């Protein structure tokens, strides 16, 4: 009896049965793979800011208006302008919400705009590269978050620098790091003008790394 059971256990079945089993195994793997893809594609897609995929779209509060009264002060040769704005955002699991942030705006001359790639090579190549134009219509809009450990830096007019109060990182008006522990220069944000309205996408990059890694966005 025990020998019969052992033989039955070892019996691989007829060629038809083997082929049926193989088909069922492949079909299970195939269905599992498709279900994985169905779940993964929207998840990965949801991690990419829509504005970076299609600059014309602004769904989900991705593009936020910069108040005209503040943005209009951004001019060539003027000190950087602090611009406070609100944006709405939607998290799939919570009701729509809003937040207030501020950015720093500068406007470059034509020569400065042309030279910006040489001045800020970190924005155009390697792991610190950004996936959108740093200069749009001669404007650069900086995140207000210090790339070192996330404090808010200020513009110090008598030194013509951005200076972070936490650990003393210093940056030129164009965002080049010139002193302190920050591992990279300032982070420009996606910017556009739509029918005369300046808009920005709020992105938070990882602190303390030379690479630009998106942590969150509006
Ligand atoms: S957080 Fe800005 S220098 Fe440390």
């Amino acid at each position: 009896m025990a020998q019969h059971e052992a033989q039955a256990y070892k019996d691989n079945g007829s060629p038809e049965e083997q082929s049926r089993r193989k088909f069922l195994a492949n079909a299970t793997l195939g269905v599992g793979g498709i279900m994985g893809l169905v779940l993964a594609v929207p998840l990965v897609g949801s991690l990419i800011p829509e504005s970076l995929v299609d600059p014309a779209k602004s769904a989900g509060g991705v593009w936020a208006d910069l108040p005209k009264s503040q943005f209009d002060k951004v001019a060539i040769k003027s000190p950087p302008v602090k611009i406070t704005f609100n944006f709405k955002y939607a998290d799939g699991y919570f009701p729509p919400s809003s937040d207030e942030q501020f950015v720093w705006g500068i406007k470059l001359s034509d020569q400065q705009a042309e030279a910006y790639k040489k001045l800020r090579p970190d924005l155009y190549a390697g792991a610190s590269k950004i996936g959108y134009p740093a200069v749009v219509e001669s404007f650069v809009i900086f995140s207000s978050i210090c790339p070192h450990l996330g404090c808010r830096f200020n513009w110090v007019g008598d030194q013509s620098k951005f200076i972070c109060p936490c650990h003393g990182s210093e940056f030129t008006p164009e965002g080049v790091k010139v002193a302190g522990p920050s591992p990279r220069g300032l982070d420009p944000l996606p910017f556009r003008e739509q029918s005369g309205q300046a808009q920005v996408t709020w992105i938070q990059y990882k602190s303390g790394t030379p690479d630009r890694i998106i942590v969150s966005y509006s």
Side-chain angles (χ1 to χ4, degrees):
M1 176 74 177
Q3 199 181 1
H4 283 301
E5 279 175 0
Q7 277 173 353
Y9 185 73
K10 280 185 199 162
D11 184 5
N12 290 329
S14 65
E16 291 76 20
E17 280 174 335
Q18 286 181 31
S19 135
R20 201 178 106 253
R21 278 188 219 135
K22 203 168 170 186
F23 169 78
L24 285 173
N26 286 340
T28 306
L29 281 175
V31 170
I34 289 167
M35 285 180 69
L37 267 179
V38 166
L39 291 171
V41 167
L43 179 64
V44 171
S46 72
L47 296 174
I48 302 171
E50 190 166 357
S51 60
L52 306 189
V53 177
D54 182 353
K57 292 188 179 174
S58 65
V62 171
W63 287 108
D65 291 351
L66 296 179
K68 193 169 166 44
S69 58
Q70 298 174 56
F71 181 75
D72 282 353
K73 292 181 184 152
V74 182
I76 297 170
K77 292 187 180 167
S78 290
V81 176
K82 180 178 177 178
I83 306 168
T84 304
F85 67 103
N86 282 286
F87 63 86
K88 294 192 176 78
Y89 62 93
D91 186 309
Y93 301 101
F94 298 101
S97 193
S98 65
D99 196 5
E100 185 181 274
Q101 289 290 351
F102 68 92
V103 291
W104 290 95
I106 62 167
K107 186 165 189 185
L108 306 171
S109 66
D110 289 346
Q111 293 94 323
Q112 285 175 315
E114 270 177 34
Y116 203 66
K117 269 191 181 174
K118 283 192 187 146
L119 200 59
R120 296 294 311 271
D122 58 310
L123 300 174
Y124 297 91
S128 59
K129 180 182 171 180
I130 56 175
Y132 46 86
V135 182
V136 177
E137 296 171 32
S138 298
F139 293 100
V140 183
I141 307 296
F142 290 119
S143 163
S144 53
I145 298 176
C146 177
H148 179 223
L149 292 179
C151 291
R152 304 296 174 129
F153 55 83
N154 297 308
W155 174 251
V156 180
D158 56 4
Q159 296 187 50
S160 291
K161 285 180 204 158
F162 290 110
I163 298 181
C164 182
C166 290
H167 312 97
S169 288
E170 298 181 4
F171 309 87
T172 68
E174 298 84 11
V176 179
K177 192 202 91 169
V178 288
S182 177
R184 60 176 192 262
L186 299 183
D187 301 321
L189 297 174
F191 168 77
R192 71 177 184 181
E193 274 198 271
Q194 286 282 97
S195 308
Q197 174 64 60
Q199 296 180 319
V200 74
T201 297
W202 178 254
I203 292 179
Q204 206 164 334
Y205 285 101
K206 190 171 180 182
S207 299
T209 66
D211 300 348
R212 285 193 172 79
I213 300 163
I214 293 177
V215 173
S216 66
Y217 54 88
S218 62

